[in-house]
Each structure stands twice: as structure tokens, then as C-alpha cells.
């Protein structure tokens, strides 16, 4: 592998010349030839791959020093052929496991049928995705807007809330995270992401998660929406009482504000039910989702209360790529996998097993969260332990709001039997 423009130029030339023969060759053999040429240009060690990425990419991420080349189920492999148990789930994205065969085959088929056309036309697969994905939503919220990411879903929800209420002000949580575009960043209380890029905008107020009195003291007739991660993640995974969520619902109703649950991480079965509100008896007015909704193809979705949706007009929101054919076929397939493979039930059962066994390890203070959105709370900083886990072939995350917490966001297909090496490694590292 060469670290310079030659490698990409040669790759482009090979792909182009292969494509020029495609009119005579069969689609299958052309696809094989292109895939072959890409793979040969990508061959290289983790260190070589890292050197090239670091040479050409903006250094916006502190990356793990591994280059992943393959995935299957709960596992990924690096360029050296080393296998890792992926308890980080590709950043909470590999909901149905890595490279689920149904998803791979649906994406392959659609790529050869119609790769893209935008929302200015109808699409058979967008229709299928809308029906299947809306079918997962709580009753009364079965109207969807498709977009490309979590931050775009949150921008859309904020825009809809402001339009519906005719108000501007939004209350969100002091250590919440909602994305990196300006509206979502405004709702993001975690200061590391907001300051100094974006001074606190006047129309946003932050209150501590779990504090109903603080929320009540801030609510008034100018509030358009209360927005929060259904279960906080980046700020530290923990779950407030049912009473907190129910009280928040009542406060929103009393003041005519909308309640927005950001379920970008927690949605689609991760917490043990399709959406979290079900567990606390609360139906929000808008739910946002992304991450695993298309199993790895970029996609986001907003579930909208039907009477709010009824007032949306042409031009109120838009996106070129949202709901494109490839994302749609992926969303429809993931929705089917969630139902057919009972992923929420599996998340609940495997999550309970994980929490019980990890909680019994010396040095683990507690395990917080629901289903397979779990925080392992340690007596010591989590960063070195997470690095140590990687040495044992296990990927896990840390979190911004609580330096002693290991964050686990594995595929919802994870089986209890796959967790043995994690328990052993954690016990060894904490001993
Ligand atoms: N909301 C939550 C709860 C998230 O965790 C994230 C991303 O990590 C986002 C929103 C933003 O999603 P995206 O990175 O797809 O824009």
C-alpha cells in the first residue's frame, strides 16, 4: 500500500476502465472485478493504513490504533487478522450484528437495481421502508421523515417543534448530546462539544438530567420543546425514575410544549423495548433515531405525532439523500430483522446476563442502563481498562461525562455465550 496520491489515482483508473467494459461484461463479473481492484489497493497493515489516514484526513477523532477490515455478527477483524468481540457495536450502529447476511444481500441487490434517486420521485423501496419503520413506532407517532444522521433527525425535530408551537425556546439536559450541527449543538449541554465553537444560544436552556424540580422551575409559555436522550449515553449511562419521565410529560402538557426523545442510541430495541418510553409509560411527541436504523448505511428518522405531521407542508424540511433507495432497503431489512429475530427481547435478556455477571466482578461498582445500553461503573478511570480490553481482543467505549464508566453498545444479536472472554478480561484487568 502506498501512502500518496498514486494509490488513489491508480484505484480510480482501474475502477473507471473496469466500468468502461461493463456494457459488454455481465453485471456480476464487473462488480467482482471492481471489488477485487479496491481490495488489492487497500491491502496493508493497521500501521500503514493509519499512516495514510492520518496523512490525508483532518485529525477530528482520537482513533484506536487498529484498522478493521471485516465483520461478522458480534466480531470484527483487523488488518492483521486479529479478531475482536465488538461491545462498542461500531459506535452503536451494528444493531443487527456486523454484515448480517439478509442485510448484505438486500443492499447488494438494490445497488444493482437503482442506487439513488431523490425525494422528488416515489420509490418502491422507500414506500417499503416507510411502512416497515413506521410500523415499529408507538401508536400515534407513525409518520416518518427520513434523513441521513442523528444530528439531522434532531435538527428536524427541533424545527417541527418550533413551527408547531410557534415558540423558539428549547430546554435540554446539561450533559446531553444531540449532534454537531448548529441546532442539535445548541441542544447539546455537554460543553466539550459546544464551547468554544458555539456560545450558548439565547433560546436554549440546560437543566440537570433527573431533576424534575429544576425542569419545573424553567418551564413557561415560551418553551417549544423539552429534548433529551431517552437514556443519556455520552454524559454517563444511567436511568432516572419512571416518575421523572412521567412528571416531564405532565409539565410539557401543562405548558403546551412538545416532548422530544432522542433515541439515536437507545432506539430500535436496544433498551429491551422498541423505544424507551414504553418502559416508563410515556409517549413523547417526536422521537429521533439514527445509528443502527439502517445497520450501517447512513440514515436517520424522525417519528412525528400524527396531528403535528398533518400540519407539515411542502418545503418545511428537505434532504437530498434521506430515504434514498440504498438506505431505504437497508432500513426495511433491519426493521424486519428486529421483529423476526426478536432483537428487543434479546437485548433485554443478554443485557440482564451481562449486567449480573459484570456487576459481580471485583472493582465494578455498579452496572447502569437498560438492555444493551450499559455503563460499567468502576472504582478507577475506565480509559486504561478499555485499552487493556482491546489487548484481550474486546472493543468497548468510554464516556465523556463519567471518566470511570465503560460504555457498552454491542449488536443486539449478541448472545450470552459470547461474553465469557469479556468477563475474564475485565476481572484480570481489575484484579
Ligand atoms: N444523538 C445522540 C444521542 C447521539 O449519540 C449522537 C451521536 O453519537 C447523535 C445524536 C448524533 O448522531 P450523528 O453522529 O449520526 O449525527
Amino acid at each position: 500500500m502506498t501512502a500518496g496520491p498514486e494509490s488513489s489515482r491508480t484505484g480510480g483508473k482501474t475502477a473507471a476502465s473496469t466500468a468502461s467494459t461493463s456494457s459488454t461484461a455481465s453485471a456480476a463479473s464487473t462488480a467482482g472485478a471492481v471489488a477485487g481492484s479496491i481490495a488489492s489497493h487497500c491491502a496493508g497493515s493497521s500501521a500503514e493504513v493509519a499512516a495514510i489516514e492520518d496523512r490525508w484526513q483532518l485529525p477530528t477523532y482520537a482513533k484506536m490504533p487498529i484498522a478493521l477490515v471485516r465483520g461478522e455478527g458480534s466480531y470484527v477483524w483487523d488488518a492483521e487478522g486479529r479478531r475482536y468481540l465488538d461491545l462498542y457495536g461500531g459506535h452503536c450502529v451494528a444493531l443487527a450484528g456486523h454484515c448480517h447476511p439478509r442485510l448484505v444481500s438486500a443492499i447488494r441487490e438494490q445497488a444493482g437495481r437503482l442506487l439513488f434517486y431523490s425525494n422528488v420521485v416515489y420509490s418502491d423501496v422507500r414506500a417499503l421502508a416507510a411502512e416497515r419503520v413506521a410500523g415499529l413506532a408507538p401508536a400515534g407517532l407513525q409518520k416518518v421523515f427520513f434523513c441521513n444522521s442523528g444530528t439531522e433527525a434532531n435538527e428536524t425535530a427541533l424545527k417541527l417543534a418550533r413551527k408547531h408551537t410557534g415558540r423558539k425556546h428549547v430546554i435540554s439536559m446539561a450533559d446531553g448530546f444531540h449532534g454537531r450541527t448548529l441546532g442539535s449543538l445548541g441542544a447539546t449541554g455537554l460543553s466539550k462539544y459546544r464551547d468554544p465553537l458555539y456560545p450558548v444560544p439565547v433560546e436554549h436552556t440546560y437543566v440537570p438530567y433527573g431533576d424534575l424540580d429544576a425542569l419545573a422551575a424553567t418551564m413557561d409559555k415560551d418553551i417549544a420543546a423539552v429534548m433529551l436522550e431517552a437514556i443519556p449515553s455520552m454524559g454517563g449511562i444511567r436511568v432516572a425514575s419512571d416518575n421523572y419521565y412521567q412528571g416531564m410529560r405532565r409539565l410539557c402538557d401543562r405548558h403546551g410544549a412538545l416532548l422530544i426523545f432522542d433515541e439515536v442510541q437507545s432506539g430500535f430495541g436496544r433498551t429491551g423495548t422498541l423505544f424507551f418510553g414504553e418502559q416508563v409509560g410515556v409517549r413523547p411527541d417526536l422521537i429521533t433515531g439514527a445509528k443502527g436504523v439502517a445497520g450501517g448505511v447512513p440514515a436517520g428518522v424522525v417519528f412525528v405525532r400524527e396531528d403535528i405531521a398533518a400540519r407539515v407542508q411542502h418545503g418545511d424540511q428537505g434532504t437530498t439523500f434521506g430515504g434514498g433507495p440504498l438506505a431505504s432497503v437497508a432500513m426495511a431489512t433491519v426493521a424486519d430483522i428486529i421483529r423476526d429475530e426478536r432483537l428487543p427481547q434479546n437485548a433485554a435478556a443478554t443485557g440482564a446476563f451481562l449486567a449480573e455477571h459484570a456487576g459481580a466482578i471485583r472493582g465494578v461498582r455498579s452496572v447502569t442502563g437498560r438492555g444493551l445500553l450499559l455503563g460499567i461503573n468502576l472504582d478507577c478511570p475506565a480509559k486504561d481498562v478499555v485499552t487493556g480490553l482491546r489487548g484481550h481482543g474486546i472493543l468497548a467505549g468510554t464516556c465523556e461525562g463519567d471518566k470511570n464508566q465503560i460504555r457498552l453498545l454491542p449488536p443486539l444479536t449478541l448472545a450470552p455465550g459470547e461474553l465469557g472472554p469479556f468477563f475474564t478480561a475485565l476481572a484480570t484487568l481489575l484484579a
Side-chain angles (χ1 to χ4, degrees):
M1 194 174 192
T2 44
E6 289 77 18
S7 62
S8 50
R9 258 208 312 269
T10 317
K13 202 170 134 206
T14 308
S17 60
T18 307
S20 72
T21 62
S22 67
S23 54
T24 50
S26 74
S29 65
T30 303
V34 172
S37 78
I38 290 169
S40 65
H41 283 285
C42 288
S45 68
S46 288
E48 286 173 307
V49 171
I52 295 171
E53 273 203 46
D54 291 345
R55 163 69 181 86
W56 297 107
Q57 278 206 302
L58 289 184
T60 54
Y61 275 89
K63 294 178 182 165
M64 303 179 208
I66 51 172
L68 297 182
V69 296
R70 188 163 83 79
E72 191 182 319
S74 306
Y75 299 95
V76 285
W77 283 260
D78 70 12
E80 285 70 32
R82 177 141 199 240
R83 190 179 84 158
Y84 298 85
L85 175 65
D86 186 13
L87 300 185
Y88 194 58
H91 219 109
C92 203
V93 169
L95 192 107
H98 290 282
C99 296
H100 192 293
R102 274 173 78 181
L103 184 57
V104 170
S105 115
I107 292 170
R108 279 206 174 113
E109 186 190 334
Q110 185 59 37
R113 247 181 117 223
L114 179 63
L115 204 47
F116 186 73
Y117 214 97
S118 78
N119 288 286
V120 298
V121 297
Y122 289 98
S123 150
D124 55 355
V125 284
R126 190 185 306 117
L128 184 69
E131 191 176 64
R132 294 286 209 274
V133 174
L136 299 176
L141 262 75
Q142 292 179 322
K143 205 75 173 176
V144 292
F145 176 79
F146 288 141
C147 52
N148 305 282
S149 64
T151 198
E152 197 182 350
N154 286 331
E155 293 284 348
T156 304
L158 290 169
K159 207 170 174 183
L160 291 175
R162 286 181 169 130
K163 178 166 187 221
H164 185 79
T165 58
R167 305 170 181 181
K168 284 191 185 149
H169 210 109
V170 170
I171 299 176
S172 52
M173 302 300 130
D175 62 0
F177 181 80
H178 298 289
R180 291 176 161 93
T181 53
L182 287 188
S184 307
L185 199 57
T188 291
L190 266 177
S191 56
K192 170 180 166 179
Y193 298 97
R194 208 189 49 241
D195 303 336
L197 302 173
Y198 193 43
V200 178
V202 283
E203 66 273 17
H204 285 271
T205 301
Y206 313 105
V207 295
Y209 169 75
D211 186 341
L212 201 54
D213 293 338
L215 181 63
T218 320
M219 293 293 285
D220 62 32
K221 61 171 183 29
D222 293 329
I223 304 300
V226 174
M227 180 182 219
L228 74 162
E229 292 164 82
I231 293 180
S233 181
M234 196 86 95
I237 297 175
R238 74 266 192 215
V239 189
S241 69
D242 293 8
N243 186 46
Y244 171 68
Y245 290 96
Q246 291 158 6
M248 173 181 282
R249 175 72 273 179
R250 280 194 298 275
L251 280 172
C252 286
D253 291 342
R254 191 176 314 146
H255 293 276
L258 300 187
L259 180 57
I260 306 173
F261 276 6
D262 175 339
E263 295 239 33
V264 165
Q265 292 209 10
S266 58
F268 301 100
R270 178 163 296 282
T271 66
T273 49
L274 278 169
F275 295 96
F276 175 70
E278 206 179 302
Q279 296 179 35
V280 290
V282 167
R283 192 189 70 168
D285 305 298
L286 296 148
I287 298 175
T288 58
K291 298 282 191 199
V293 62
V297 176
V301 59
V302 187
F303 296 99
V304 184
R305 208 179 72 198
E306 282 152 34
D307 63 299
I308 300 173
R311 289 173 54 186
V312 173
Q313 294 168 339
H314 291 170
D316 276 357
Q317 183 58 313
T319 161
T320 296
F321 288 109
L326 210 57
S328 288
V329 89
M331 286 190 284
T333 307
V334 168
D336 286 350
I337 294 171
I338 288 172
R339 283 221 185 280
D340 296 349
E341 300 189 16
R342 299 169 56 80
L343 296 190
Q345 290 87 339
N346 191 62
T350 306
F353 176 86
L354 204 169
E356 186 193 335
H357 286 76
I361 293 171
R362 230 174 111 209
V364 173
R365 236 184 327 110
S366 64
V367 181
T368 44
R370 292 274 166 93
L372 286 173
L373 180 60
L374 290 177
I376 312 282
N377 304 296
L378 308 178
D379 288 329
C380 60
K383 193 164 175 262
D384 289 347
V385 179
V386 166
T387 304
L389 284 170
R390 199 166 59 242
H392 286 261
I394 291 148
L395 302 185
T398 51
C399 83
E400 203 43 51
D402 183 348
K403 298 295 179 201
N404 286 8
Q405 188 177 82
I406 301 177
R407 232 164 23 122
L408 302 183
L409 324 152
L412 307 191
T413 47
L414 182 72
E418 294 174 311
L419 282 164
F422 169 64
F423 300 137
T424 308
L426 189 60
T428 307
L429 291 162
L430 294 178

